Amino acid sequence: MREFEYQRAHDVPGAVAVLGADPEARFLGGGTNLVDLMKAGVERPARLVDVRELPLDRVERTADGGLRIGATVTNSDLAAHSEVRRGYPALTQAVLAGASGQLRNMATVGGNLLQRTRCGYFTDVSKPCNKRVPGSGCPAVGGEHHNAAILGASEHCVAVHPSDMGVALTAFDAVVEYETADGAGQLPLDDFYRPVGGTPHLETTLPAGALITAVTLPPAPVAARSRYRKVRERASYAFAIGSVAAALDVRDGVVHDVRIALGAVASRPWRARAAERELLGRPADGASFAAAADAELAAASPLPHNAYKVPLMRNLVVALLTELEQEATR
Ligand SMILES: Cc1cc2nc3c(=O)[nH]c(=O)nc-3n(C[C@H](O)[C@H](O)[C@H](O)COP(=O)(O)OP(=O)(O)OC[C@H]3O[C@@H](n4cnc5c(N)ncnc54)[C@H](O)[C@@H]3O)c2cc1C
Ligand code: SF4
């Protein structure tokens, strides 16, 4: 492990000034991903700027009735927050489906969105990997890829994004707020993650040295009727091999509003807009739910060992929407 300097940031301008001046510095949230990657030699920062004492640890109502979640709110505090549990239950369920209690006590919202892939070639520095060493190749395509992407991947990288939280945030149109030495900015989560293309090492559109300060959720009455469902290879303490966040508003038997996002299928949490378009105004029944899942998965391009994800995701979407429909009409 490379030797590094450690310092605590006490205010946002001070934190972004350090990264603005030192391209080898990194922000440290809970450290639950970054420190592991440093031990593995994947990340080699010269300086860590600990952001946990910044005043970014609140969940607050916005003037329009949405929520503003500070970047250093821990996963545990986010999941337990009464406004999140009431207004965005899928977000609480997604966070609680991730990692373990101890990890959630340390992990922060900003760090969760920026955690790196769990592809085994990426974390093994003895192997080639386009994401870690651009141009070195992607051994996953012809090798171990049972948890690889089925949507939006390229021949250059088929890794999936591991976040559960990000899937629910994507379903609810979250906006990432950030600060740099040159000023503040905002990015809808939809535009936050870059398409893979030929540059899998470039993962987000955040400017260099940007500090995530908050994630804002716009008001969404439909989000109060939402759920998250995760499939994993162990009952707990495991990353998803497929997950769905969905919210459904049914009026007179017809889909009035719907949000769907998929996890562990792409390099980013995947908003299922084709499925949503297919469902709006249709009868809220199993046939419509299946047609919606098929509309989204028509673009799936699986590899030999992850083709199981196509029926898995279809079944997950149909099952979760059916549960939400039954809850709505109960
Ligand atoms: C054993 C294990 C199991 C896990 N299981 C799951 C799971 O099932 N589901 C799931 O979703 N996650 C899981 N995780 C991942 C965990 O959720 C992430 O490691 C965690 O959310 C990262 O948050 P952190 O604050 O610790 O980030 P850090 O490790 O501190 O940082 C991660 C990255 O974000 C950057 N960063 C941190 N904060 C900011 C900021 N405010 N602005 C800009 N950049 C920032 C850092 O520089 C770094 O690049 C698991 C982790 C482990 C170790
Ligand atoms: S899938 Fe992506 S992260 Fe995994 S080996 Fe290929 S390039 Fe690297």
Side-chain angles (χ1 to χ4, degrees):
M1 190 169 173
R2 182 185 181 188
E3 269 192 30
F4 61 91
E5 303 278 329
Y6 169 90
Q7 70 189 77
R8 266 199 191 107
H10 300 292
D11 55 53
V12 169
V16 297
V18 177
L19 261 77
D22 181 357
E24 291 204 68
R26 296 279 183 281
F27 293 122
L28 178 72
T32 61
N33 186 223
L34 180 56
V35 174
D36 279 358
L37 292 174
M38 288 166 66
K39 289 181 194 163
V42 175
E43 295 267 15
R44 294 173 48 78
R47 181 186 301 273
L48 292 184
V49 179
D50 191 334
V51 300
R52 283 173 298 179
E53 288 190 4
L54 294 177
L56 306 172
D57 59 348
R58 305 272 304 273
V59 179
E60 295 163 316
R61 273 235 160 270
T62 54
D64 63 1
L67 280 187
R68 186 169 186 275
I69 303 163
T72 64
V73 171
T74 65
N75 289 193
S76 298
D77 286 349
L78 178 62
H81 198 278
S82 58
E83 298 281 359
V84 177
R85 289 159 60 110
R86 189 194 54 75
Y88 305 85
L91 179 54
T92 284
Q93 292 166 17
V95 173
L96 293 179
S100 64
Q102 293 92 332
L103 284 160
R104 293 194 295 269
N105 288 342
M106 293 297 292
T108 62
V109 168
N112 189 291
L113 293 177
L114 289 175
Q115 65 175 299
R116 313 294 302 276
T117 183
R118 295 279 157 171
C119 173
Y121 300 107
F122 174 73
T123 49
D124 179 349
V125 293
S126 72
K127 300 287 193 309
C129 166
N130 283 329
K131 191 183 274 298
R132 185 169 28 77
V133 183
S136 61
C138 176
V141 171
E144 206 314 282
H145 57 243
H146 85 282
N147 195 16
I150 56 171
L151 290 164
S154 83
E155 63 188 301
H156 303 287
C157 180
V158 293
V160 294
H161 197 277
S163 174
D164 290 298
M165 175 193 296
V167 181
L169 291 176
T170 295
F172 302 141
D173 298 308
V175 175
V176 176
E177 296 178 16
Y178 64 83
E179 195 86 37
T180 69
D182 298 325
Q186 294 194 338
L187 280 168
L189 208 47
D190 249 5
D191 302 330
F192 181 79
Y193 297 105
R194 289 173 188 261
V196 185
T199 54
H201 59 293
L202 302 176
E203 296 180 350
T204 75
T205 53
L206 265 183
L211 173 75
I212 297 178
T213 50
V215 175
T216 306
L217 289 174
V222 69
R225 289 180 287 275
S226 65
R227 285 189 184 194
Y228 185 73
R229 178 74 69 81
K230 171 176 178 177
V231 176
R232 47 192 157 182
E233 288 167 324
R234 283 194 309 264
S236 72
Y237 203 29
F239 288 91
I241 55 171
S243 70
V244 181
L248 185 66
D249 182 2
V250 178
R251 306 216 180 149
D252 300 324
V254 168
V255 176
H256 178 73
D257 197 359
V258 61
R259 307 289 163 85
I260 308 172
L262 312 179
V265 294
S267 63
R268 53 181 299 163
W270 186 267
R271 182 73 177 265
R273 293 201 186 275
E276 292 176 359
R277 278 195 299 274
E278 178 73 27
L279 270 175
L280 276 176
R282 293 285 168 86
D285 59 21
S288 302
F289 301 155
D294 288 341
E296 194 64 46
L297 294 165
S301 174
L303 294 161
H305 302 143
N306 68 354
Y308 72 92
K309 285 196 178 187
V310 179
L312 172 76
M313 295 310 297
R314 184 181 195 269
N315 292 340
L316 260 185
V317 169
V318 173
L320 197 60
L321 291 172
T322 303
E323 274 178 25
L324 286 166
E325 188 274 329
Q326 286 169 351
E327 202 172 83
T329 53
R330 206 175 282 150

